[in-house]
Amino acid sequence: MTNPVLAFVFPGQGSQQIGMLSDTAKAFPEIGATFSEASSTLGYDLWDLCQNGAQEDINLTERTQPLLLTSSVALYRAWLANGGVKPACMAGHSLGEWSALVCAGVLAFDDAVRLVRERGRLMQEAVPAGEGAMAAIIGLDDQAVEAACAEAAQGGVVAAVNYNSPGQVVIAGSAAAVERAIESCKAAGAKRAMPLPVSAPFHTELMRPAAEKLASQIEAAVFNAPEMPVIHNVHAKSEANPAAIKALMVEQIYSPVRWTSCVQAMAVDGVSQLVECGPGKVLAGLTKRIDRSLAAFSIESPAQMSEAIASTAV
């Protein structure tokens, strides 16, 4: 059964924590089974890494990406196995778009694990450590952030890359240009402008080499038509054609994440409930800033899972 007003949203990098999903794994066998499946594909014990490893290990992009994909798919499987209804549509923030595609039946989980590991490796390789940066700009409208970036570029690369909610935009680019843009945003009246602890300038033109290298692997993978609409980061619309979805997943690597527009598009289509399917509650928080009329649920813990399943039952 599908709930016509329910959407699932999947988080991206930054939601990972050592020890995450430990209680959930005890309650739902789907968690351990999904992690075992991913570990077989990766060649190392992903569950042990996220329970007993170091935070700096899971913050390595080529490990973060398979870890968050696996966490989200595991929670979605547990949701369905425990009586949760299927959503009417899905979206994922950056990396989370791959989780949405797996859960919408576009590609096999093991293929996605391989692709996002490679995606992470190539994105990290594209810009040497220390040469790129990202920063969160709070309390400035999109146009003012874009103008500050244009002023600060001075031949370098800096751009708005994550339109997360009204008044919250992430910028990224070469380290010196981002530093100049932070000062420009402060001068323009930003409440806060703070560097983010990330290892590469994601979703900028600097990522285009990574996208070009990953394109052949995406092209070789089997993509199916989605079982339900997936709203894409690049243009905040759904796409039914597998070849077009492949092209969007390449373009997504060096294009801004238009998250505010994605959530607004779902609301226009009649969505009134969102479930954040992954560790943390970043997207649930952003949802409230984008559209206060939307009910947002997290399902990271067994209690949250039970409450969300009951609240979204048709």
Side-chain angles (χ1 to χ4, degrees), residues 66-152:
L67 175 57
L68 288 171
L69 171 80
T70 302
S71 300
S72 288
V73 171
L75 285 168
Y76 188 65
R77 289 174 172 177
W79 170 272
L80 294 179
N82 287 275
V85 293
K86 286 188 174 182
C89 63
M90 295 180 167
H93 190 288
S94 187
L95 165 73
E97 194 163 308
W98 285 96
S99 305
L101 292 181
V102 172
C103 294
V106 173
L107 78 164
F109 175 54
D110 58 342
D111 287 342
V113 169
R114 278 188 284 269
L115 283 168
V116 301
R117 173 177 59 183
E118 193 67 0
R119 180 181 185 269
R121 187 183 70 78
L122 291 169
M123 289 170 82
Q124 186 61 67
E125 273 183 6
V127 178
E131 291 188 15
M134 299 182 78
I137 311 299
I138 309 295
L140 211 56
D141 68 39
D142 295 353
Q143 292 74 23
V145 174
E146 290 162 0
C149 287
E151 176 192 322

Side-chain angles (χ1 to χ4, degrees), residues 178-198:
V178 169
E179 190 57 46
R180 290 192 297 270
I182 287 173
E183 296 309 313
S184 293
C185 288
K186 287 177 179 175
K191 291 178 184 173
R192 294 166 73 194
M194 51 200 178
L196 296 176
V198 295

Side-chain angles (χ1 to χ4, degrees), residues 3-264:
N3 182 337
V5 302
L6 176 65
F8 261 58
V9 293
F10 299 86
Q13 289 187 218
S15 295
Q16 68 277 4
Q17 296 292 334
I18 293 296
M20 66 187 195
L21 303 186
S22 56
D23 290 342
T24 317
K26 293 170 188 166
F28 306 120
E30 295 79 17
I31 307 297
T34 306
F35 269 82
S36 294
E37 204 177 319
S39 297
S40 297
T41 300
L42 292 166
Y44 61 86
D45 190 332
L46 187 61
W47 182 253
D48 182 64
L49 175 70
C50 80
Q51 297 303 306
N52 305 309
Q55 188 68 33
E56 54 264 32
D57 290 334
I58 66 168
N59 286 349
L60 290 169
T61 300
E62 66 180 275
R63 290 191 168 170
T64 311
Q65 297 204 16
L67 175 57
L68 288 171
L69 171 80
T70 302
S71 300
S72 288
V73 171
L75 285 168
Y76 188 65
R77 289 174 172 177
W79 170 272
L80 294 179
N82 287 275
V85 293
K86 286 188 174 182
C89 63
M90 295 180 167
H93 190 288
S94 187
L95 165 73
E97 194 163 308
W98 285 96
S99 305
L101 292 181
V102 172
C103 294
V106 173
L107 78 164
F109 175 54
D110 58 342
D111 287 342
V113 169
R114 278 188 284 269
L115 283 168
V116 301
R117 173 177 59 183
E118 193 67 0
R119 180 181 185 269
R121 187 183 70 78
L122 291 169
M123 289 170 82
Q124 186 61 67
E125 273 183 6
V127 178
E131 291 188 15
M134 299 182 78
I137 311 299
I138 309 295
L140 211 56
D141 68 39
D142 295 353
Q143 292 74 23
V145 174
E146 290 162 0
C149 287
E151 176 192 322
Q154 298 176 21
V157 173
V158 61
V161 295
N162 292 352
Y163 295 89
N164 285 336
S165 69
Q168 183 180 331
V169 178
V170 173
I171 63 172
S174 51
V178 169
E179 190 57 46
R180 290 192 297 270
I182 287 173
E183 296 309 313
S184 293
C185 288
K186 287 177 179 175
K191 291 178 184 173
R192 294 166 73 194
M194 51 200 178
L196 296 176
V198 295
S199 52
F202 302 131
H203 300 290
T204 66
E205 275 295 319
L206 297 172
M207 290 290 113
R208 194 179 282 268
E212 289 170 351
K213 289 175 183 174
L214 192 65
S216 61
Q217 296 180 48
I218 290 176
E219 185 53 43
V222 175
F223 276 45
N224 306 301
E227 295 167 5
M228 62 199 68
V230 174
I231 309 299
H232 292 278
N233 290 179
V234 170
H235 55 23
K237 300 172 187 173
S238 61
E239 179 54 68
N241 183 300
I245 294 172
K246 287 181 177 183
L248 284 167
M249 297 312 290
V250 174
E251 189 179 345
Q252 187 233 42
I253 294 172
Y254 58 83
S255 300
V257 175
R258 302 191 179 280
W259 189 250
T260 300
S261 298
C262 288
V263 173
Q264 290 170 339

